[in-house]
Amino acid sequence: MEWASWSDFWHMGGYGFYVWGSYGVTAVCVAIEVLLLKRAAGDTRRRLKRMRQWEEQ
Amino acid sequence: MHRFLLAVLRRDLTLAARRRGDWLIAQFFFVMVASLFPLGVGPEPAMLARIGPGVLWVAATLASLLSLSRLFADDHRDGSLEHMVLSPEPTVLLVLGKSLAHWLIYGIPLLLIAPVLGIQFNLSWEAIRVLEISLLLGTPILSLLGGVGAALTLGLRGGGVLLTLLILPLYVPALIFGAGAVDGVMAGTGAEAHLSLLGAFLVLSLMIAPWIAAAALRVSLE
Amino acid sequence: MHRFLLAVLRRDLTLAARRRGDWLIAQFFFVMVASLFPLGVGPEPAMLARIGPGVLWVAATLASLLSLSRLFADDHRDGSLEHMVLSPEPTVLLVLGKSLAHWLIYGIPLLLIAPVLGIQFNLSWEAIRVLEISLLLGTPILSLLGGVGAALTLGLRGGGVLLTLLILPLYVPALIFGAGAVDGVMAGTGAEAHLSLLGAFLVLSLMIAPWIAAAALRVSLE
Amino acid sequence: MSDAHLSVHDLACARGDRLLFKDMNFRLNSGELLLVQGGNGQGKTSLLRLLTGLSSPEDGEVRWRGDPIRKQREAYHAEMAYLGHANGVKDDLNPVENLRFADGLQGRVFDAARGIATLERLGLGRCLDLPCRVLSFGQRRRVALAALLLAGVTLWILDEPLTGLDVHAVALMESLIRDHLNGGGMVVATTHQALNLEGVTVRRLLVGKVEIPELA
Amino acid sequence: MSDAHLSVHDLACARGDRLLFKDMNFRLNSGELLLVQGGNGQGKTSLLRLLTGLSSPEDGEVRWRGDPIRKQREAYHAEMAYLGHANGVKDDLNPVENLRFADGLQGRVFDAARGIATLERLGLGRCLDLPCRVLSFGQRRRVALAALLLAGVTLWILDEPLTGLDVHAVALMESLIRDHLNGGGMVVATTHQALNLEGVTVRRLLVGKVEIPELA
Amino acid sequence: MNLYTYASPANFYILAGKLIPWFAWGAGLFTAWGLYIAFFLAPTDFQQSEAYRIIFIHVPAAWMSMFIYLVMAFWGAIGLAFNTRLSFMMARALAPTGAIFTFIALWTGAWWGKPMWGAWWVWDARLTSELILLFLYVGIIALWAAIDDIKRGDRAGSLLTLIGAINVPIIYFSVKWWNTLHQGASVSLTKAPSMAATMLQGMLILAIAAWLYTIAVAMARVRRIILERERQSEWVKALLEKES
Ligand code: HEM
Ligand SMILES: Nc1ncnc2c1ncn2[C@@H]1O[C@H](COP(=O)(O)OP(=O)(O)OP(=O)(O)O)[C@@H](O)[C@H]1O
Ligand SMILES: Nc1ncnc2c1ncn2[C@@H]1O[C@H](COP(=O)(O)OP(=O)(O)OP(=O)(O)O)[C@@H](O)[C@H]1O
Ligand SMILES: [Mg+2]
Ligand SMILES: [Mg+2]
């Protein structure tokens, strides 16, 4: 095991800012992509259903 | 009166939100023009830091200039400009509202992107701070003066390039004061003098440009 | 076949001659962008000579890029583009003819103006000579690649800026080789390697771009 | 509304270096339609733009309620609506939003229920949520007509309102004009097509020298 | 010319995600006019562009003299001329130059005397030296018609050739079509206006579902 | 039932629906495993200290950014050649993910460069060509966004992707050449030889994770695109009917 303690882990030998800056933004990017995708999928379904209803009228 | 101004603003912001693609493209254009220079000039960091403020200012100018050519053009083409001019409110308000909307849509994002480009050009934090202030004062000038140019070139063939030609000379003082402020802080001579001149130029444009643009708009629609 | 090519060329040259205003504006834009830099960057001669080739290349790129957005647009708007595509000749020839005409109209004059601007930037004669050769090889690349971009963005909202966004990344090698050649001769490392790479890139563009542009044109007219 | 009238005194119009017409005089009272006719390029559009105040005449003047329009621009524009060759409909907005912004820009408060009712009356009930970009030419023209109706003004100035409309849309347009006139409104219109307007006072104005047979 | 015919087999056309029409079949022989009718946005322009080969069908095919047009693009285009909503007339050139370049681009050699004669026949004798920019809409349309006549091809495809034309221009257009058909040519045309075409074989094609009364 | 069955959008829609959870869970598992190696198994670098741990996302992201572009160009070419609808949809579905990986590679590179080189950004060959790759992605996405017509958008976007694919190697070499002319050798990464094996293992595992993630996300996007485009077809109508 490399790390003596959690604070040591977060500190990353003085480079915590850079390491977590990179990993954090990556995580945020992925999270945003997944979130947008989920939302867009829901939107599409709702819109298509609404359009179906019009067409039936 | 202020209701009309708000209506113009809301309308233009809504339209920009609908056309997010156009908006993104304008921002990317800024990034791209700024990135072309290192490719042409070469990658030495010291040299890039030296020319950085100038390049960023020129790139910001060109980026918002290109979007200016469509300030009135879209509304002219589909006829809604005539409807707006035919409203019972003064045309100056219309021009002011549209220039303001242009600044909010195209000017403000430049302020957000500029620091990133500043880092690419190895500018110091202090230089980036002054760059931001100078752009904050300088971009509305461009929107205001650009309104005059856009009104003058409305519906003309090759309006975009002609607009550039008309507006750039007027805009030179802003460029000199703005880039000069950043240069000043980098050279240690301070930026205040340049910034206050820039501010004065902004006030002057605000007082004169909308009236001229409104007159130009009426002439172009004749 | 060559009669068709000649007809396209003659037509575009005649039209350019009729609209001398547009043409002059494009040349002026080149001069103006190049002249903005000394204003933004400051007047030191050594510095200007150092960044001169890059700035001139970038300015030439932007100048001919702006006119490219109208390569097919005018003919599209008045319907003559459809007539040309409906002619019994292959569309590739049409694209080639129009790209060539664009280069003759907008590329060649840049070659004539560039030396004057080179002097303003304190370039040596040798550097100016290489700058000319590099522009001679580089500007047709822009006309060819720009044909692809113009065909792809035909009739789209904000086509001009979008075209820039699409084409500039593709154009980067030409910019690097071109400005690199001049830098090379100024640094004493010679320009031949860069120039021959630029030539190779030109040949490649000539072989590929017209076909893609012709396909894009047919797609855009659907 | 009753004393509203539009009059034109010794009007002359020049485009480029060509004098299109001069010494034009007429008076239009409420409940009347002025049909402007003439061959291609004789100056119909130019005349209509003079009447709106978008361009200014070479000579003479246009009066609204007896006063020159350039002296009372805002009051006149509050009572006048113009529909030109272009619709003034934004492609990226849906019909309801288009009406809302049109009202906002004219300084009126938008009444959504009335707006939707007008759109439905014009046969656009199924298009309320679509951006106008995907509507057909005729449907977009109808959105512009809805804005015209909502404006609720006295004077309509219509430049070739029938171009490209199919026969059903033309019939709708005719009945709208008839209703507006019967309600005391006034209309100035140009067209190259035949119009069926029974029971309406139609005045005819020939612009230019080309003889044109009666259409309406 | 005698065996020339245009035929359409199981043609389907989609714009965006909308199927405009499908299973369309017809055959047009020389000397015949096909009048394409339908309400706004039903797909008339789309059909005409399929017939020219500018766009490609969702399904089915268009044949010229029995062979699919996409297999003989150049031969077909040498016998076909298209006049769309736009004229294809350059504003900066005068009528004669416009004809010269139109001929050059079609690979023909321009015969100046014939070109001028055609322009004069179309009533443009006084405009030969003017740039088309200053011509009126109708006159510009006439320049495009002159190019059509000079092309001397068998098949004309005309999209709303009457839009914005005054009554005199409409009459001229009718006689041109009649002459072309009597000379063994073929015409496909759309219009929302009434056409007077006696003594000519007119076939009618209804595009879309909107009922349209007979016009011609 | 053969392979071609799945080239029809309707069948692919169902297949993708079944496969997505597998790829998504696989991506999650591999990510966890890779991160474990990255932070707990890989030893400290004697030169770069802990900052080098950025490599575990930087390199997979950089690889993916280039790989996805090639796949897009491949699908675009297939679509143009054989007019298969599904390939255009694949190309469209991949672009945003490719752009995001490009952005991540740039971002992590910058946040690595600052502690290592003392600058967030230098105009080095690799960095510059990655930046231009981002421009290409954005250009393609912008072109798609600007064209309303689906057919035209598909073809135009694919043509642009193709000409970009021809140009990418040229850009890379031109930039490399340009750079070496002015600047001596830029900073090179030195790493302890003993560490290379663990590092490579971690990078590969995270690369696989990125790959699985890309497939899952792209499939989800293709499903949405299919629904949009086939909304007039009977099977989509039936599907929506069943859901509501
Ligand atoms: C914004 C800055 C950066 C960008 C855009 C970038 C881009 C790239 C790209 C595209 C690759 C893949 C190249 C290939 O596999 O051939 C890569 C790999 C790599 N990068 Fe970066 N990089 C950046 C900064 C850095 C920094 C600061 C370091 C270390 C100090 C670094 C170290 C590496 C290493 C070790 C590899 C793997 C090399 C290999 O597998 O061949 N990068 N980078
Ligand atoms: N800027 C200008 N310079 C020169 N002539 C012009 C200019 N603008 C318009 N004209 C001319 O003025 C005339 C009138 O144009 P106008 O648009 O009013 O005609 P119109 O009656 O509406 O014709 P149409 O039936 O085709 O719509 C035309 O002959 C046109 O050539
Ligand atoms: N790119 C597109 N995306 C979606 N729909 C489209 C697209 N292009 C055209 N359409 C639709 O296709 C339909 C047919 O258009 P077309 O121009 O062929 O009609 P038309 O019959 O010529 O009508 P008009 O009488 O107005 O000229 C219209 O309803 C239009 O909305
Ligand atoms: Mg008119
Ligand atoms: Mg049509």
Side-chain angles (χ1 to χ4, degrees):
Chain A
M1 185 51 75
E2 290 287 310
W3 314 101
S5 68
W6 277 111
S7 73
D8 207 16
F9 178 68
W10 295 122
H11 190 57
M12 276 285 156
Y15 291 109
F17 177 64
Y18 299 105
V19 174
W20 299 122
S22 322
Y23 278 79
V25 167
T26 307
V28 167
C29 284
V30 170
I32 289 180
E33 188 183 16
V34 171
L35 225 80
L36 283 183
L37 204 60
K38 279 236 161 78
R39 223 183 56 188
D43 284 355
T44 304
R45 271 153 196 277
R46 263 192 300 282
R47 215 183 53 242
L48 290 186
K49 278 177 193 161
R50 218 172 48 212
M51 287 171 80
R52 283 279 295 145
Q53 279 159 10
W54 283 342
E55 277 160 22
E56 275 159 20
Q57 274 169 17
Chain B
M1 198 162 120
H2 73 277
R3 201 163 69 209
F4 178 69
L5 197 67
L6 278 182
V8 173
L9 263 182
R10 250 185 72 185
R11 171 176 177 284
D12 277 23
L13 292 179
T14 311
L15 284 173
R18 290 291 152 83
R19 302 182 194 158
R20 234 162 295 153
D22 284 17
W23 177 81
L24 265 179
I25 290 170
Q27 313 313 322
F28 248 89
F29 183 78
F30 177 44
V31 176
M32 217 141 67
V33 171
S35 311
L36 274 187
F37 278 94
L39 295 177
V41 166
E44 284 118 272
M47 152 79 57
L48 288 179
R50 178 71 193 73
I51 64 168
V55 168
L56 288 183
W57 255 87
V58 173
T61 308
L62 292 178
S64 56
L65 213 51
L66 283 190
S67 54
L68 270 173
S69 63
R70 303 214 326 281
L71 184 61
F72 298 116
D74 285 347
D75 288 341
H76 181 50
R77 194 173 21 240
D78 64 23
S80 43
L81 188 62
E82 291 176 352
H83 287 186
M84 291 194 269
V85 169
L86 287 179
S87 91
E89 306 287 335
T91 315
V92 178
L93 271 189
L94 171 67
V95 171
L96 209 59
K98 287 195 77 83
S99 297
L100 189 57
H102 178 268
W103 181 64
L104 291 176
I105 297 165
Y106 294 101
I108 295 279
L110 293 187
L111 293 180
L112 303 180
I113 302 172
V116 179
L117 294 176
I119 288 174
Q120 287 199 326
F121 277 89
N122 273 305
L123 298 188
S124 68
W125 289 114
E126 181 59 15
I128 290 180
R129 199 180 61 85
V130 174
L131 176 71
E132 288 287 279
I133 301 177
S134 70
L135 283 176
L136 184 68
L137 292 171
T139 43
I141 303 180
L142 194 58
S143 298
L144 288 165
L145 292 181
V148 179
L152 282 174
T153 57
L154 196 61
L156 297 187
R157 230 174 19 217
V161 188
L162 182 57
L163 172 86
T164 313
L165 194 66
L166 292 178
I167 290 308
L168 271 187
L170 295 179
Y171 193 59
V172 161
L175 183 68
I176 290 178
F177 298 144
V182 191
D183 278 348
V185 80
M186 280 165 61
T189 55
E192 284 71 28
H194 278 113
L195 288 179
S196 43
L197 283 171
L198 196 59
F201 192 44
L202 171 59
V203 173
L204 195 72
S205 321
L206 198 57
M207 283 179 345
I208 298 178
W211 272 265
I212 302 194
L217 200 56
R218 299 200 143 268
V219 170
S220 293
L221 282 180
E222 279 247 323
Chain C
M1 202 161 120
H2 74 275
R3 199 159 73 208
F4 178 68
L5 197 69
L6 278 182
V8 173
L9 263 180
R10 252 185 73 184
R11 171 176 178 283
D12 278 23
L13 292 178
T14 312
L15 285 173
R18 292 289 153 87
R19 301 182 194 158
R20 233 159 296 152
D22 283 17
W23 177 82
L24 263 179
I25 289 170
Q27 314 312 322
F28 250 90
F29 185 78
F30 177 45
V31 176
M32 215 140 67
V33 171
S35 314
L36 277 185
F37 274 90
L39 296 176
V41 166
E44 288 116 88
M47 153 75 61
L48 287 181
R50 178 70 195 74
I51 65 169
V55 168
L56 288 183
W57 254 88
V58 173
T61 306
L62 291 175
S64 55
L65 211 51
L66 285 189
S67 54
L68 269 174
S69 63
R70 301 212 328 282
L71 184 61
F72 298 117
D74 286 347
D75 288 341
H76 180 51
R77 201 178 9 246
D78 66 21
S80 43
L81 188 62
E82 291 175 352
H83 287 188
M84 291 194 266
V85 169
L86 286 179
S87 90
E89 305 288 334
T91 315
V92 178
L93 271 189
L94 170 67
V95 171
L96 208 61
K98 286 196 76 84
S99 297
L100 187 58
H102 178 268
W103 180 65
L104 291 176
I105 298 164
Y106 294 101
I108 295 281
L110 294 185
L111 293 180
L112 304 180
I113 303 172
V116 181
L117 294 175
I119 291 173
Q120 287 194 330
F121 277 89
N122 271 309
L123 298 188
S124 67
W125 288 115
E126 180 58 15
I128 290 181
R129 198 182 59 87
V130 175
L131 176 70
E132 288 287 280
I133 300 177
S134 70
L135 283 176
L136 184 67
L137 292 171
T139 42
I141 303 181
L142 193 58
S143 298
L144 287 166
L145 290 179
V148 178
L152 286 173
T153 58
L154 194 62
L156 298 184
R157 231 173 21 219
V161 188
L162 184 57
L163 171 85
T164 314
L165 187 66
L166 301 184
I167 290 309
L168 274 189
L170 299 179
Y171 191 58
V172 161
L175 182 66
I176 287 177
F177 296 142
V182 191
D183 278 349
V185 81
M186 282 164 61
T189 55
E192 284 72 27
H194 277 111
L195 288 179
S196 45
L197 283 170
L198 194 60
F201 193 45
L202 171 59
V203 171
L204 195 73
S205 315
L206 199 57
M207 282 179 348
I208 298 177
W211 270 264
I212 301 214
L217 201 57
R218 300 201 143 266
V219 168
S220 293
L221 282 179
E222 281 246 323
Chain D
M1 260 202 195
S2 54
D3 68 336
H5 66 272
L6 178 78
S7 59
V8 149
H9 302 264
D10 300 328
L11 203 65
C13 173
R15 300 307 309 261
D17 52 1
R18 200 176 134 205
L19 191 68
L20 289 176
F21 52 81
K22 62 176 182 180
D23 298 332
M24 179 181 284
N25 285 285
F26 65 79
R27 179 189 158 117
L28 193 70
N29 298 313
S30 78
E32 290 180 346
L33 164 75
L34 181 74
L35 207 58
V36 179
Q37 299 191 310
N40 291 127
Q42 299 294 319
K44 299 180 296 301
T45 300
S46 310
L47 171 63
L48 262 52
R49 291 174 69 89
L50 285 180
L51 295 183
T52 62
L54 275 173
S55 54
S56 44
E58 188 71 7
D59 200 10
E61 63 187 9
V62 180
R63 295 193 194 147
W64 175 245
R65 297 180 187 274
D67 295 318
I69 57 170
R70 65 191 156 71
K71 295 221 175 117
Q72 44 158 352
R73 195 183 76 82
E74 313 197 348
Y76 177 54
H77 284 169
E79 289 191 277
M80 187 270 310
Y82 173 62
L83 180 61
H85 281 292
N87 290 322
V89 166
K90 287 313 269 189
D91 279 353
D92 292 302
L93 302 176
N94 69 34
V96 182
E97 288 168 329
N98 259 302
L99 293 187
R100 164 172 299 124
F101 285 117
D103 264 9
L105 292 177
Q106 303 299 317
R108 292 185 302 270
V109 186
F110 180 61
D111 175 352
R114 230 188 106 218
I116 292 176
T118 312
L119 288 172
E120 277 168 353
R121 183 176 158 212
L122 288 167
L124 293 170
R126 291 178 58 189
C127 313
L128 298 182
D129 283 345
L130 297 175
C132 290
R133 187 179 348 112
V134 307
L135 300 186
S136 88
F137 186 87
Q139 288 169 321
R140 269 187 284 178
R141 201 77 183 159
R142 288 176 208 207
V143 175
L145 288 176
L148 192 74
L149 289 179
L150 270 189
V153 298
T154 314
L155 174 61
W156 290 357
I157 298 188
L158 312 176
D159 196 358
E160 306 211 16
L162 308 182
T163 342
L165 290 191
D166 64 23
V167 277
H168 303 285
V170 169
L172 180 70
M173 189 69 218
E174 285 162 354
S175 79
L176 287 177
I177 291 180
R178 215 179 285 120
D179 292 352
H180 182 61
L181 293 176
N182 291 338
M186 303 154 65
V187 178
V188 179
T190 70
T191 177
H192 288 302
Q193 281 170 258
L195 262 181
N196 168 23
L197 287 170
E198 278 150 24
V200 153
T201 321
V202 180
R203 291 152 152 283
R204 246 160 251 291
L205 181 72
L206 188 68
V207 178
K209 276 150 258 154
V210 178
E211 279 303 311
I212 293 284
E214 290 231 339
L215 284 174
Chain E
M1 255 200 195
S2 54
D3 66 338
H5 65 273
L6 178 77
S7 60
V8 149
H9 301 263
D10 301 327
L11 203 67
C13 173
R15 297 310 307 261
D17 53 357
R18 207 177 127 203
L19 191 70
L20 291 175
F21 53 79
K22 62 175 181 182
D23 297 332
M24 179 182 284
N25 283 286
F26 66 77
R27 179 189 157 116
L28 192 71
N29 297 313
S30 79
E32 290 180 345
L33 164 75
L34 181 73
L35 205 59
V36 179
Q37 298 193 310
N40 289 128
Q42 298 294 317
K44 300 181 294 302
T45 300
S46 308
L47 170 64
L48 262 52
R49 291 174 70 90
L50 285 181
L51 295 183
T52 60
L54 275 173
S55 54
S56 46
E58 188 72 6
D59 200 11
E61 63 186 12
V62 179
R63 296 194 193 144
W64 176 247
R65 297 181 188 273
D67 295 318
I69 57 170
R70 65 191 155 69
K71 295 222 174 112
Q72 44 159 351
R73 195 183 78 81
E74 314 198 343
Y76 177 54
H77 284 168
E79 288 191 278
M80 191 264 320
Y82 173 64
L83 181 59
H85 282 292
N87 291 323
V89 167
K90 288 312 273 188
D91 279 354
D92 293 302
L93 302 177
N94 69 34
V96 182
E97 287 168 328
N98 259 302
L99 293 188
R100 165 172 298 124
F101 284 118
D103 264 9
L105 293 177
Q106 303 299 317
R108 292 185 301 271
V109 185
F110 181 61
D111 173 353
R114 228 186 109 217
I116 292 176
T118 311
L119 288 171
E120 277 169 353
R121 179 173 161 214
L122 287 166
L124 293 170
R126 290 178 55 191
C127 311
L128 297 183
D129 284 342
L130 297 175
C132 289
R133 187 178 347 111
V134 307
L135 298 188
S136 90
F137 186 86
Q139 287 168 321
R140 270 188 283 178
R141 203 78 183 157
R142 289 176 209 209
V143 176
L145 289 176
L148 193 73
L149 289 179
L150 270 191
V153 297
T154 314
L155 173 63
W156 290 357
I157 297 188
L158 312 174
D159 197 359
E160 307 210 16
L162 308 181
T163 344
L165 289 191
D166 64 24
V167 277
H168 302 287
V170 169
L172 180 67
M173 189 69 220
E174 284 161 355
S175 79
L176 286 178
I177 291 180
R178 215 179 287 119
D179 291 351
H180 181 60
L181 293 177
N182 291 338
M186 302 155 67
V187 177
V188 179
T190 71
T191 176
H192 289 302
Q193 281 171 257
L195 263 182
N196 169 24
L197 286 171
E198 278 150 25
V200 153
T201 321
V202 179
R203 294 153 151 279
R204 245 161 252 290
L205 182 72
L206 188 69
V207 177
K209 278 152 253 152
V210 178
E211 279 302 311
I212 294 283
E214 289 230 340
L215 285 175
Chain F
M1 185 185 269
N2 59 21
L3 205 59
Y4 286 105
T5 322
Y6 289 112
S8 106
N11 292 329
F12 187 81
Y13 183 85
I14 296 163
L15 178 71
K18 285 189 195 131
L19 289 181
I20 286 174
W22 292 96
F23 284 108
W25 280 109
L29 274 173
F30 272 83
T31 308
W33 185 14
L35 288 180
Y36 180 73
I37 293 177
F39 284 112
F40 298 106
L41 295 188
T44 306
D45 187 89
F46 74 93
Q47 243 190 2
Q48 303 197 13
S49 171
E50 311 297 350
Y52 88 95
R53 289 182 201 277
I54 295 175
I55 202 176
F56 292 104
I57 34 175
H58 173 71
V59 173
W63 282 342
M64 286 313 286
S65 68
M66 295 179 289
F67 182 62
I68 291 180
Y69 192 89
L70 288 183
V71 178
M72 262 172 66
F74 168 76
W75 283 124
I78 295 281
L80 287 174
F82 303 108
N83 200 14
T84 40
R85 285 175 298 165
L86 197 55
S87 9
F88 287 127
M89 298 186 204
M90 288 299 275
R92 278 203 197 212
L94 282 168
T97 308
I100 288 175
F101 274 120
T102 315
F103 175 75
I104 292 176
L106 284 167
W107 181 272
T108 54
W111 283 61
W112 195 1
K114 183 64 181 171
M116 289 303 107
W117 305 337
W120 296 96
W121 182 265
V122 294
W123 292 89
D124 151 274
R126 213 168 243 176
L127 278 59
T128 307
S129 50
E130 187 77 0
L131 183 67
I132 294 169
L133 184 63
L134 180 69
F135 292 158
L136 278 176
Y137 271 120
V138 172
I140 292 165
I141 294 174
L143 185 64
W144 273 326
I147 301 180
D148 290 328
D149 187 75
I150 291 174
K151 241 163 126 188
R152 176 179 169 190
D154 279 346
R155 285 157 188 284
S158 299
L159 284 171
L160 183 63
T161 318
L162 274 186
I163 198 171
I166 300 165
N167 227 43
V168 165
I170 302 176
I171 292 172
Y172 182 75
F173 286 109
S174 67
V175 171
K176 203 170 167 121
W177 226 63
W178 155 78
N179 177 39
T180 50
L181 255 188
H182 289 290
Q183 215 174 251
S186 56
V187 185
S188 66
L189 180 76
T190 46
K191 48 201 174 209
S194 61
M195 207 181 56
T198 342
M199 242 174 65
L200 193 66
Q201 196 191 3
M203 265 160 35
L204 282 180
I205 288 169
L206 279 170
I208 293 174
W211 201 63
L212 293 173
Y213 168 79
T214 307
I215 295 179
V217 174
M219 278 188 170
R221 218 174 262 127
V222 167
R223 267 165 68 90
R224 203 188 75 227
I225 297 175
I226 290 177
L227 270 193
E228 292 254 5
R229 295 196 183 181
E230 306 263 306
R231 64 163 171 257
Q232 305 289 356
S233 70
E234 288 309 317
W235 71 269
V236 172
K237 285 178 184 166
L239 192 86
L240 293 175
E241 205 82 336
K242 211 167 66 199
E243 279 180 9
S244 51

